[in-house]
Amino acid sequence: MSKEMLHGLIEMIPDDDIEILYRVLVKFVPEVPPEPDEIQALEEGRRDREENGTIPHEEINWD
């Protein structure tokens, strides 16, 4: 089966069932350990959030 055929089959799935399909497909994606730079970026983000807090959604200028 080609990727195009699979894409066509997925397009036929009702929107209400997409979440179920996603959960099934994710089980087939192999888990890999994070790379050192990914771990570092996560740690930096946590430190930044602890030191500076977060910005409330309503304070962001979305325009």
Side-chain angles (χ1 to χ4, degrees), residues 36-53:
D37 61 331
E38 295 171 320
I39 294 172
Q40 180 182 357
L42 289 169
E43 290 171 350
E44 288 175 9
R46 286 187 187 118
R47 277 194 306 273
D48 183 55
R49 192 172 55 241
E50 289 171 359
E51 293 170 3
N52 301 313

Side-chain angles (χ1 to χ4, degrees), residues 12-62:
M12 293 177 7
I13 296 172
D15 289 342
D16 294 345
D17 296 331
I18 292 295
E19 181 67 24
I20 294 168
L21 178 63
Y22 170 77
R23 290 180 187 187
V24 170
L25 290 175
V26 163
K27 294 189 182 295
F28 291 96
V29 177
E31 290 187 31
V32 294
E35 297 290 326
D37 61 331
E38 295 171 320
I39 294 172
Q40 180 182 357
L42 289 169
E43 290 171 350
E44 288 175 9
R46 286 187 187 118
R47 277 194 306 273
D48 183 55
R49 192 172 55 241
E50 289 171 359
E51 293 170 3
N52 301 313
T54 57
I55 299 171
H57 187 267
E58 56 274 356
E59 289 187 20
I60 297 175
N61 181 3
W62 296 97

Side-chain angles (χ1 to χ4, degrees), residues 1-10:
M1 179 180 292
S2 69
K3 288 184 180 181
E4 290 80 20
M5 288 177 66
L6 184 58
H7 186 281
L9 291 171
I10 291 172

